Amino acid sequence: MGRFARSSAGAQRAKDTSPHGGFAAIGCFGAALLVLSPAAASAQALADGAPVGGSADAGPAIDQADDIVVTATRRTEKEQDVPFSTSVIEPRQLVASFAAGGDIRALANSVPGLNIESSAGRTFPRFYIRGYGNTDFSIFASQPVSLVYDDVVAENAALKAFPIFDVADVEVLRGPQGTLFGRNAPAGVVQIQSVKPVLGETSGSFSLAEGRYNSASFTGALNVPLSDVMAARASVQVQHRDDWVSDPINASRLEGFDDVAGRLQLLYQPNARFSALFNVHGRHQTGSARLFRANIITPGTNRIVPGFDPAAYYGDSRNTAHFDSIGASARLMLELPGVSLVSITGYETILSYYGLSDTDGGYGAAFEPTMGPTVTRPDGSVIGIPFPVSSAGAIDDHHQITQELRAASDYAGPLNWLAGLYYFHDTTTAGSLIYEQTGTTLTSSNHSRQDNDAYAAFGSLVFKPSARFDLRAGLRFTHDAKTFTIVDAFNQSFAQTRARAKGDNLSGDLSATYAVTPDFKIYGRLATGFRAPSFGAPTNTVGIQIAKAETNRSAEIGFKSFLADRRIKLNADIYYYRVRNQQLTAVGGADNSTRLLNARRSVGYGGEVEMDAKVSDRLQLSASAGYNRTRIEDRDLAVAVCASCTVTDPRNAQGNALIYGNPLPQAAKWTLDAGVAYTVPVAAGRELFFNADLAYRSSVNFFLYESKEFTGRPLADLGLRGGFRWGDGKYEVAAFCRNCLDQIRVIGAIDFNNLTGMINDPVIYGIQLSGKF
């Protein structure tokens, strides 16, 4: 890992528009595949001599690596049989993060190639898979990564923030998922499945945690049988953190939150052929909006200024945020001879959202001498801002309706099929509000409505002529139409108040898998994806912005294997993708505008390797690595730049940065993860345990242009958890920490003011009591 870190740090500033360096790295992955392939095929024979970690008769039997069941192809099958790159995040991997008050962004610490960030804190997360995502912070923004929660797509970015609790697993599906999921997902899918009710069983679980800054967390679940054919499961998560950041200007404290979410499920299963699962869920969250901190980056570098105190903030505006949502779904399934029928109906609504923050991130503009005393940092630097402004986003009304119907065969013969229809409707009315510096007097605003309807028909075939070989193909036709209307505006005028956009697309995939041995399979996949035209936030100078539809073509080869008598699971892949007309967002410049645009082409290539090993009945290890190289390929595309940073891109005649060859924003070249779990039995049914995980990502570019200040430094996140378990694993008490190295980094920025950035959470440590019954 240290070798990877040094390599990334040494190369992070070099701007290489040539692909040779990237192909060299991807070539290493390809060579690794070739080297590991024969090794995997013969590993069983090599392992027969003695178990890992001792002689054949030493100690108890060693468990095998998990053969996890997933629904990545809308069928229930083993992860190792899925012909594309997948990762499964089990609940035990997330315990420390959520005990420390973590939200859905914690998933990025668990698998390679996945990044999740937000400029709105615990709301509006933005997902990236293999560097392919969208930095647009508009409430109407679309994303190429789709989040599917309990079989229902969460389209609006705010819905993607629904907390993760009482879940069975999280599946990360890399590459285009243009056949089987939602409106289409050109970058990939993150799929979350809750624990479902169980007939005839009374059971449950609980977890209580308390940590630094009074970071309190409670999670509870209860499964209750209602009759022989009905069962219910109720689950809840409550998270709280005290305000731990002091704002002396406003004599206030910030960065606390209260986040409550609940889910009630009802299962009706009168026989083995029919089942109906109903789900109602909701969330209520209050606290601080995201803190934008002006002047925290040392000019000419990407390092935080000396003497910076994360617990101190100097702003001149009010700060507040709240969010409420509720949703429901019904999943009906009927098993007929040789065919299963599924209907999934979903409804989601955001009841209210309002987030107000000090957009300028500072205090004391040079032309505002009446604003009070000058604020000076410990290093003697004066906190100044070019202009004062506060802004807020609000959702006035939101409704999402989805309906999916599909049928799948289950024949004994070599050929099986799946076919379905999909409908999506979303209506969002939202406002953008600008205030004077204290956040009390509204100076301008606009409220807009976006209506989106999409229809799709899809199908796939699976052909298995032998036990070793299978061939799969799928197609999906999508029609997507949007209307954008400016409902009202205060102190703003727009020449255009209504716009329409639509797109039709036929996407598909073709894959093949060959089992060299029962425990070693190689696969290849070609796939395409589609994202419909998008609207950007309207501005006085630009009006309603429209980005053309984007398409993605991807190729991937890899293998999935079990080694050493199935004690080690080792998967690896290499990939290449090319996006045409990628929708990108440029922020800032002299007019402080947000510009939605298309790049003619962008490409990405790299590979991932994942390993899980059950070394002994006491020791489990995991490790993964991802290399990802992205590049914007549009020689004429130029964007406005910041006024106070050191831009390294060439400029055009207008002074804008030419971004040809730049990486995509938030796309790290290297992502690394490692974990260890160790137990020590102390008595019958009792043991000590220790878990550690380390996630690393190399540097990232915050914006489309490159500058010294707005390049995020490499970030390592260490998590530790250890304690005592008793009752044959039913109960445990543990101490934990998250970001144990207390590594504070700038992880996002605003580029139209004085080197304004956002930081990650500091170290959180505490204790936790949990149990199940």
Side-chain angles (χ1 to χ4, degrees):
M1 182 172 294
R3 238 181 3 257
F4 289 157
R6 286 193 295 272
S7 175
S8 173
Q12 67 179 357
R13 297 310 312 146
K15 180 176 178 181
D16 180 14
T17 59
S18 165
H20 299 309
F23 282 128
I26 196 173
C28 293
F29 272 91
L33 291 179
L34 295 174
V35 171
L36 289 170
S37 295
S42 61
Q44 183 66 55
L46 294 175
D48 286 341
V52 177
S55 62
D57 58 352
I62 299 173
D63 291 338
Q64 294 182 332
D66 296 328
D67 202 351
I68 300 172
V69 174
V70 297
T71 57
T73 58
R74 293 301 205 187
R75 296 175 180 270
T76 300
E77 61 181 327
K78 296 177 181 178
E79 180 195 6
Q80 299 299 85
D81 295 335
V82 175
F84 54 85
S85 179
T86 59
S87 292
V88 177
I89 306 171
E90 297 180 83
R92 59 181 173 80
Q93 297 174 255
L94 303 171
V95 172
S97 293
F98 295 141
D103 54 65
I104 197 167
R105 290 171 293 174
L107 295 181
N109 294 330
S110 304
V111 296
L114 175 66
N115 185 25
I116 309 173
E117 53 89 25
S118 172
S119 56
R122 301 174 69 84
T123 316
F124 294 96
R126 297 186 289 249
F127 289 70
Y128 307 78
I129 290 180
R130 293 172 171 171
Y132 185 6
N134 184 14
T135 61
D136 193 349
F137 52 83
S138 167
I139 290 173
F140 304 106
S142 68
Q143 294 185 355
V145 178
S146 186
L147 179 78
V148 179
Y149 208 133
D150 287 333
D151 298 312
V152 175
V153 66
E155 180 63 22
N156 190 284
L159 296 177
K160 288 178 166 67
F162 193 83
I164 299 177
F165 61 97
D166 194 32
V167 298
D169 66 27
V170 179
E171 300 172 17
V172 179
L173 318 179
R174 303 183 188 90
Q177 304 299 320
T179 302
L180 300 176
F181 286 91
R183 295 169 59 204
N184 216 306
V189 168
V190 176
Q191 183 172 218
I192 303 170
Q193 290 290 343
S194 302
V195 177
K196 302 300 186 283
V198 179
L199 295 175
E201 177 181 293
T202 300
S203 60
S205 62
F206 69 89
S207 172
L208 287 163
E210 172 68 25
R212 189 186 187 195
Y213 307 127
N214 194 22
S215 297
S217 177
F218 169 76
T219 303
L222 178 64
N223 189 98
V224 180
L226 303 179
S227 69
D228 291 342
V229 297
M230 294 183 66
R233 186 176 186 89
S235 50
V236 65
Q237 177 178 277
V238 180
Q239 291 182 316
H240 166 85
R241 180 171 296 163
D242 285 348
D243 291 312
W244 60 277
V245 176
S246 176
D247 178 4
I249 304 301
N250 294 296
S252 64
R253 298 184 66 82
L254 302 165
E255 280 286 75
F257 59 81
D258 287 286
D259 203 342
V260 181
R263 179 169 51 241
L264 177 63
Q265 299 178 86
L266 178 66
L267 173 66
Y268 172 63
Q269 189 171 344
N271 52 57
R273 294 184 297 109
F274 177 76
S275 67
L277 179 64
F278 304 96
N279 180 318
V280 179
H281 50 272
R283 181 191 186 198
H284 171 70
Q285 187 242 323
T286 60
S288 297
R290 192 65 184 266
L291 293 186
F292 306 127
R293 302 169 184 253
N295 299 287
I296 70 167
I297 305 172
T298 302
T301 77
N302 61 352
R303 296 182 176 274
I304 294 177
V305 294
F308 173 72
D309 181 4
Y313 177 74
Y314 303 93
D316 50 33
S317 170
R318 295 187 302 121
N319 182 296
T320 185
H322 70 264
F323 177 86
D324 294 279
S325 68
I326 192 168
S329 65
R331 185 181 193 276
L332 310 179
M333 185 170 182
L334 176 63
E335 295 282 356
L336 299 175
V339 178
S340 63
L341 305 177
V342 178
S343 169
I344 301 171
T345 305
Y347 174 75
E348 302 287 339
T349 178
I350 299 172
L351 300 174
S352 66
Y353 166 71
Y354 181 79
L356 169 67
S357 60
D358 187 0
T359 316
D360 59 65
Y363 176 82
F367 58 84
E368 293 279 359
T370 62
M371 291 182 65
T374 299
V375 178
T376 305
R377 284 204 179 89
D379 69 341
S381 62
V382 176
I383 299 178
I385 52 175
F387 59 88
V389 63
S390 298
S391 63
I395 295 179
D396 307 318
D397 184 64
H398 170 267
H399 303 278
Q400 175 190 291
I401 300 171
T402 57
Q403 177 64 56
E404 182 174 354
L405 299 171
R406 68 175 184 262
S409 69
D410 188 16
Y411 303 146
L415 182 64
N416 277 281
W417 53 266
L418 184 151
L421 300 171
Y422 182 78
Y423 169 71
F424 171 90
H425 170 77
D426 180 277
T427 297
T428 304
T429 303
S432 175
L433 305 97
I434 307 298
Y435 297 84
E436 45 71 55
Q437 68 267 20
T438 65
T440 55
T441 302
L442 186 67
T443 60
S444 66
S445 66
N446 69 76
H447 292 259
S448 306
R449 185 181 73 248
Q450 178 176 277
D451 298 291
N452 185 192
D453 288 282
Y455 309 86
F458 58 91
S460 65
L461 295 174
V462 179
F463 180 57
K464 295 186 177 182
S466 69
R468 288 192 170 191
F469 179 74
D470 75 65
L471 183 68
R472 309 187 189 202
L475 285 174
R476 183 187 194 94
F477 173 78
T478 301
H479 171 77
D480 198 299
K482 293 178 181 177
T483 301
F484 193 91
T485 305
I486 299 175
V487 178
D488 63 67
F490 168 60
N491 275 351
Q492 295 188 42
S493 60
F494 301 96
Q496 180 188 24
T497 59
R498 186 178 176 87
R500 293 181 178 178
K502 65 179 181 179
D504 296 329
N505 177 262
L506 183 65
S507 55
D509 58 76
L510 177 66
S511 62
T513 304
Y514 180 72
V516 180
T517 71
D519 289 337
F520 180 74
K521 300 174 182 179
I522 57 175
Y523 70 86
R525 182 177 189 249
L526 300 174
T528 65
F530 163 76
R531 182 154 65 120
S534 295
F535 290 110
T539 69
N540 288 338
T541 56
V542 180
I544 300 174
Q545 304 182 71
I546 304 176
K548 295 182 291 185
E550 72 183 29
T551 56
N552 181 26
R553 296 181 179 181
S554 170
E556 177 182 322
I557 59 172
F559 70 80
K560 298 187 176 185
S561 66
F562 287 108
L563 312 177
D565 199 21
R566 295 179 65 89
R567 299 172 206 139
I568 299 174
K569 180 168 70 174
L570 179 65
N571 299 339
D573 64 80
I574 57 175
Y575 62 85
Y576 172 87
Y577 66 81
R578 183 175 65 181
V579 184
R580 185 171 177 265
N581 289 328
Q582 183 170 356
Q583 300 171 19
L584 299 171
T585 303
V587 184
D591 59 354
N592 305 323
S593 65
T594 301
R595 179 184 166 205
L596 184 64
L597 50 86
N598 291 101
R600 285 185 187 140
R601 188 174 70 174
S602 58
V603 299
Y605 43 87
E608 295 111 6
V609 177
E610 294 186 275
M611 183 274 293
D612 290 291
K614 294 199 172 181
V615 179
S616 71
D617 60 326
R618 299 180 184 181
L619 178 63
Q620 298 182 36
L621 302 175
S622 64
S624 63
Y627 173 80
N628 178 54
R629 185 71 180 271
T630 63
R631 188 174 68 251
I632 298 170
E633 296 187 340
D634 189 334
R635 293 190 180 277
D636 299 324
L637 189 57
V639 299
V641 299
C642 59
S644 56
C645 65
T646 310
V647 178
T648 57
D649 289 320
R651 309 285 190 99
N652 64 9
Q654 291 75 38
N656 294 332
L658 295 166
I659 62 173
Y660 177 83
N662 285 0
L664 293 172
Q666 295 288 344
K669 287 183 183 178
W670 290 102
T671 53
L672 307 169
D673 302 281
V676 58
Y678 186 70
T679 59
V680 180
V682 294
R686 302 178 182 181
E687 63 184 14
L688 298 173
F689 66 90
F690 172 77
N691 299 331
D693 65 274
L694 178 65
Y696 169 87
R697 66 133 178 87
S698 59
S699 61
V700 295
N701 205 37
F702 293 147
F703 304 117
L704 295 177
Y705 63 83
E706 289 190 311
S707 70
K708 292 183 178 180
E709 291 85 356
F710 291 138
T711 301
R713 296 181 62 203
L715 176 64
D717 186 1
L718 174 65
L720 299 173
R721 187 172 181 270
F724 178 66
R725 191 177 290 133
W726 71 97
D728 290 320
K730 289 185 176 181
Y731 307 101
E732 63 182 39
V733 60
F736 66 86
C737 74
R738 192 76 248 170
N739 189 15
C740 304
L741 302 176
D742 201 18
Q743 190 174 88
I744 301 298
R745 293 284 190 268
V746 176
I747 59 174
I750 295 179
D751 72 342
F752 60 73
N753 217 312
N754 273 19
L755 301 180
T756 300
M758 296 161 274
I759 64 171
N760 59 318
D761 286 342
V763 57
I764 303 292
Y765 45 79
I767 58 173
Q768 181 181 22
L769 174 66
S770 56
K772 52 188 177 181
F773 54 89

